[in-house]
């Protein structure tokens, strides 16, 4: 591709190809201060790879998270690719996806209309000779039928801003198709006009206004629009190729999972969809309803795919990338490197299984904590955690009724305990057998996806307390009756006593120590800092003030960032 580029483009000192005719730049920007901050971050970072934990240390807000998080490449990882394929990336921004493509393919041309963003993309890929960055509109490259693949991630919705004419979306797709060799494929990611989060009081991702998408973009269609699934399928069908849809969860920007269309047909995936909270990137607001309760209803009625927050569409012939027989992938890559995992949902003759594997198995131990992921069958029905949440949320049941499945879980745990009374304990591999990793069916408790192992026995009362603590953190808006829900330590004590377990001051201290040990191993954080954080989460009176001080500090950082934006904007 370098030879083709040299005909009409010249490379600058920043390593970016620019049009010799100096065509006007596309003016998209996150702000001058963001671009300067990213410049400083890239200059200060040695590891620029897609899995760089070093880059993540520079995240201070949503803008920097979008460009620096390890989660960005989850959108495309694990699909099947041919490394020799030549790739055109349209709208590469600051290079997060460019980096993944350069690590995956041998010949990548990344195009960006803004010179400053193209410069940053070159900085992000500076150690990759597989990537060329071009400052241009893609339709001005002057080549046709030159690429095996075109990637357009979060860009096509802006077609009215960079494609001239009365039908910019259709013309943009046609131009992309002209770039492809015969048999090539297009990979396109875009938000859903009817994403569930928009109905739950999230603002439209591009415009920052409420209900702009569901209302049909009456105020902003001249610069941006997204589409519902059916409309998108119809528009893509005009390319004359078959399309396959995948569903990033919670969305394509910061995905924790990627599901195929078959996953919605084969799995009861409502609780899985609700496990990854949606975000309002313009600033979180109180939702109108709890999406964790809505997703299972949508899944049961075959509507979950239509209400997904984002789509990933792959359009092309038989050689286009896909999942093969897999149904989806779930990623845990915001952890310490040795504890990062990828789970593959796979259909077998015996049913669907979840195969979890470590990314760096040689690092799978930190102090007394190790990780030993296992394959688990995909179990039907609500987890114990979700069942308890539903019962507590109803506000109409006694505490005994709310804890019906929890008691069956407790009985199953105790069957493997040794010792008597408060000294009963279970082996260290039970430390992760908490409520979200258990399903009760016909009065029988089945465990799955328990991966952490402690190198010493765990007292049963501490395991009960840990399960309750994690449940309260995840479902903190549940109307848990019979206790002051503002004091998590009181709620935990109430649950323990209902199960016949003691939970006194010494057990509170033991819970804090246990959870800090596990979190510091898995997340790689400072144990002392985590201890203070956990005490604040428990709402212990002394540490409630600490948590309030931390919230105040966060507000001050946000104000400082806003001031920095204004300074750079002058």
């Amino acid at each position: 591709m370098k030879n083709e580029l040299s005909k009409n483009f010249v490379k600058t000192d920043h390593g970016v190809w620019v049009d010799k005719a100096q065509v006007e730049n596309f003016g998209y920007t996150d702000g001058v201060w963001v671009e300067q901050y990213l410049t400083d971050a890239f200059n200060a970072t040695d590891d620029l790879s897609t899995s760089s934990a070093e880059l993540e240390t520079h995240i201070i807000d949503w803008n920097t998270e979008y460009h620096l998080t390890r989660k960005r490449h989850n959108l495309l990882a694990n699909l099947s690719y041919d490394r020799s394929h030549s790739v055109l990336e349209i709208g590469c921004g600051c290079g997060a996806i460019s980096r993944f493509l350069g690590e995956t393919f041998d010949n990548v041309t990344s195009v960006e209309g803004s010179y400053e963003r193209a410069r940053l993309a070159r900085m992000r890929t500076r150690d990759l000779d597989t990537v060329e960055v071009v400052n241009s509109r893609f339709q001005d490259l002057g080549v046709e039928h030159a690429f095996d693949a075109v990637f357009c991630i979060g860009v096509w919705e802006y077609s009215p801003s960079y494609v001239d004419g009365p039908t910019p979306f259709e013309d943009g797709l046609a131009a992309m198709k002209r770039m492809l060799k015969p048999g090539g494929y297009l990979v396109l990611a875009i938000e859903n006009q009817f994403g569930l989060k928009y109905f739950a009081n999230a603002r439209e991702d591009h415009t920052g206004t409420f209900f702009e998408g569901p209302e049909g973009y009456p105020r902003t269609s001249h610069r941006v629009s997204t589409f519902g699934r059916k409309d998108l399928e119809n528009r893509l069908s005009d390319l004359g190729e078959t399309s396959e849809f995948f569903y990033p969860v919670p969305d394509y920007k910061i995905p924790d999972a990627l599901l195929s269309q078959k996953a919605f047909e084969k799995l009861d995936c409502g609780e899985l969809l609700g496990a990854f909270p949606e975000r309002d990137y313009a600033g979180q607001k109180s939702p109108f309803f709890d999406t964790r309760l809505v997703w299972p209803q949508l899944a049961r009625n075959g509507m979950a795919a239509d209400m997904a927050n984002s789509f990933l569409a792959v359009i092309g012939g038989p050689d286009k990338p896909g999942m093969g027989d897999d149904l989806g992938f779930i990623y845990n890559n915001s952890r310490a490197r040795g504890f990062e995992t990828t789970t593959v949902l796979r259909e077998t003759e015996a049913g669907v299984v979840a195969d979890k594997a470590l990314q760096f198995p040689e690092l799978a131990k930190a102090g007394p904590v190790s990780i030993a992921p296992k394959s688990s069958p995909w179990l039907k029905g609500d987890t114990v955690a979700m069942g308890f949440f539903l019962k507590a949320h109803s506000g109409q049941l006694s505490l005994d009724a709310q804890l019906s499945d929890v008691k069956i879980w407790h009985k199953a745990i105790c069957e493997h305990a040794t010792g008597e009374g408060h000294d009963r304990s279970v082996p260290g591999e039970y430390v992760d057998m908490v409520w979200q990793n258990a399903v009760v069916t016909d009065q029988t408790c089945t465990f799955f996806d328990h991966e952490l192992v402690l190198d010493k026995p765990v007292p049963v009362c501490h395991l009960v307390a840990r399960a309750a603590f994690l449940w309260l953190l995840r479902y903190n808006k549940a109307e848990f009756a019979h206790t002051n829900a503002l004091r998590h330590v009181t709620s935990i004590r109430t649950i323990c006593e209902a199960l016949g377990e003691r939970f006194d001051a010494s057990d509170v201290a033991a819970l804090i120590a246990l959870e800090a040990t596990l979190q510091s191993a898995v997340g790689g954080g400072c144990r002392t800092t985590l201890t203070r954080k956990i005490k604040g989460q428990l709402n212990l009176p002394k540490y409630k003030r600490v948590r309030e001080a931390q919230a105040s500090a966060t507000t001050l950082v946000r104000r400082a960032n806003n001031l920095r934006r204004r300074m750079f904007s002058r």
Side-chain angles (χ1 to χ4, degrees):
M1 190 61 193
K2 288 183 182 180
N3 292 335
E4 293 293 331
L5 288 173
S6 62
K7 296 177 183 177
N8 300 308
F9 295 83
V10 61
K11 186 175 284 191
T12 69
D13 292 340
H14 295 125
V16 177
W17 293 90
V18 296
D19 195 329
K20 293 178 180 178
Q22 295 183 337
V23 176
E24 182 182 358
N25 271 332
F26 177 48
Y28 187 91
T29 179
D30 288 321
V32 176
W33 85 271
V34 176
E35 291 162 355
Q36 183 58 53
Y37 184 87
L38 292 176
T39 298
D40 295 342
F42 291 155
N43 280 330
T45 302
D46 294 323
D47 180 10
L48 295 168
S49 69
T50 55
S51 60
S52 173
E54 185 183 1
L55 267 181
E56 286 191 326
T57 63
H58 297 282
I59 293 174
I60 58 173
D61 60 8
W62 159 236
N63 283 314
T64 53
E65 180 185 6
Y66 181 68
H67 296 299
L68 303 178
T69 178
R70 286 178 280 179
K71 291 186 178 183
R72 284 293 304 280
H73 77 286
N74 290 349
L75 176 71
L76 302 171
N78 288 312
L79 297 181
S80 55
Y81 301 109
D82 184 335
R83 188 173 184 86
S84 66
H85 281 172
S86 57
V87 170
L88 171 65
E89 181 192 10
I90 296 175
C92 67
C94 299
I97 297 299
S98 312
R99 182 76 206 192
F100 168 78
L101 295 175
E103 293 172 356
T104 306
F105 296 95
D106 291 329
N107 184 0
V108 178
T109 303
S110 296
V111 178
E112 171 56 45
S114 161
Y115 182 81
E116 282 303 305
R117 290 162 68 83
R119 178 184 63 80
L120 287 165
R122 180 68 274 180
M123 291 185 71
R124 181 70 192 269
T125 59
R126 65 185 179 229
D127 57 335
L128 296 178
D129 59 8
T130 55
V131 179
E132 298 291 341
V133 180
V134 184
N135 173 216
S136 172
R137 298 193 310 171
F138 78 93
Q139 61 268 44
D140 296 331
L141 282 178
V143 297
E144 292 187 359
H145 310 302
F147 300 96
D148 296 298
V150 170
F151 285 76
C152 184
I153 309 301
V155 176
W156 184 54
E157 57 265 36
Y158 290 105
S159 291
S161 299
Y162 62 84
V163 178
D164 300 326
T167 55
F169 293 103
E170 293 79 1
D171 294 345
L173 282 177
M176 293 179 206
K177 184 175 182 179
R178 287 195 298 273
M179 294 289 183
L180 288 171
K181 296 177 182 178
Y185 60 86
L186 166 65
V187 179
L188 187 148
I190 188 171
E191 297 85 354
N192 181 5
Q193 177 184 4
F194 303 107
L196 179 63
K197 75 173 188 176
Y198 293 146
F199 294 93
N201 201 29
R203 283 161 288 192
E204 208 279 340
D205 282 357
H206 309 88
T207 67
T209 54
F210 293 106
F211 306 113
E212 182 73 8
E215 290 178 351
Y217 296 92
R219 293 165 288 274
T220 59
S221 60
H222 62 286
R223 61 184 180 89
V224 66
S225 290
T226 63
F227 307 97
R229 186 173 69 145
K230 188 64 176 179
D231 192 1
L232 183 59
E233 285 179 341
N234 290 337
R235 290 171 182 270
L236 296 178
S237 68
D238 292 340
L239 295 175
E241 302 283 358
T242 60
S243 60
E244 185 172 3
F245 273 57
F246 302 95
Y247 303 89
V249 184
D251 59 35
Y252 82 80
K253 296 179 179 68
I254 314 288
D256 291 296
L258 183 69
L259 301 179
S260 68
Q261 182 64 45
K262 288 191 298 183
F264 288 89
E265 300 164 1
K266 300 286 186 178
L267 303 178
D268 179 10
C269 56
E271 188 173 345
L272 174 64
L273 294 171
F276 304 106
E278 302 87 357
R279 290 167 61 179
D280 182 344
Y281 296 113
Q284 207 68 25
K285 296 289 185 181
S286 296
F288 293 147
F289 52 80
D290 195 323
T291 57
R292 294 171 300 184
L293 297 175
V294 176
W295 280 118
Q297 306 307 314
L298 293 173
R300 260 180 224 116
N301 287 276
M303 299 169 61
D306 290 316
M307 302 293 286
N309 291 306
S310 293
F311 305 121
L312 177 68
V314 182
I315 308 98
D319 293 333
K320 64 179 181 292
M323 289 188 182
D325 294 330
D326 297 334
L327 301 178
F329 310 111
I330 304 170
Y331 302 97
N332 277 313
N333 59 344
S334 290
R335 298 173 166 183
R337 179 153 292 194
F339 289 77
E340 291 183 9
T341 63
T342 297
T343 302
V344 180
L345 303 179
R346 185 169 289 128
E347 189 174 13
T348 69
E349 293 182 358
V352 177
V353 296
D355 285 334
K356 178 176 285 192
L358 291 167
Q359 297 297 313
F360 304 95
E362 69 279 7
L363 303 174
K365 183 173 175 60
V369 183
S370 58
I371 181 169
K374 308 172 183 66
S375 294
S376 302
W378 184 268
L379 302 176
K380 295 182 179 180
D382 296 330
T383 63
V384 172
M386 175 58 82
F388 185 16
F389 174 48
L390 292 170
K391 294 180 177 72
H393 191 76
S394 71
Q396 300 176 355
L397 299 174
S398 66
L399 177 60
D400 191 62
Q402 290 180 36
L403 293 172
S404 57
D405 287 347
V406 173
K407 289 185 174 183
I408 296 173
W409 166 87
H410 180 246
K411 180 181 178 182
I413 291 292
C414 290
E415 288 174 352
H416 299 275
T418 58
E420 298 293 334
H422 195 61
D423 295 326
R424 287 182 305 170
S425 63
V426 290
E429 58 263 31
Y430 283 69
V431 72
D432 209 25
M433 293 187 180
V434 291
W435 300 338
Q436 59 260 40
N437 295 336
V439 171
V440 170
T441 306
D442 297 328
Q443 303 296 304
T444 300
C445 184
T446 304
F447 297 98
F448 68 98
D449 197 32
H450 46 95
E451 56 183 7
L452 300 182
V453 178
L454 198 62
D455 66 358
K456 61 181 180 181
V458 181
V460 171
C461 63
H462 298 165
L463 179 56
V464 172
R466 178 171 192 256
F469 174 62
L470 296 178
W471 181 84
L472 287 163
L473 290 182
R474 177 177 286 199
Y475 299 107
N476 58 2
K477 293 183 180 179
E479 298 173 2
F480 181 51
H482 312 286
T483 186
N484 178 4
L486 296 177
R487 290 285 308 280
H488 283 175
V489 69
T490 307
S491 301
I492 294 170
R493 182 174 293 115
T494 300
I495 293 170
C496 286
E497 290 175 353
L499 297 176
E501 300 290 346
R502 192 186 78 193
F503 189 68
D504 57 22
S506 64
D507 298 310
V508 174
L511 169 63
I512 294 168
L514 172 63
E515 196 58 30
T517 297
L518 294 171
Q519 288 189 26
S520 63
V522 175
C526 169
R527 182 185 170 94
T528 301
T529 302
L530 287 168
T531 297
R532 288 197 298 265
K533 176 183 175 183
I534 293 165
K535 288 178 178 179
Q537 290 170 333
L538 286 168
N539 282 67
L540 297 175
K542 178 179 177 181
Y543 290 91
K544 185 176 182 181
R545 292 191 297 273
V546 173
R547 193 169 67 169
E548 291 170 349
Q550 290 171 337
S552 298
T554 301
T555 300
L556 289 174
V557 170
R558 188 180 298 114
R559 289 175 179 172
N561 290 337
N562 289 337
L563 177 61
R564 185 172 184 175
R565 290 189 189 96
R566 289 196 294 271
M567 291 174 63
F568 276 111
S569 299
R570 290 177 180 174

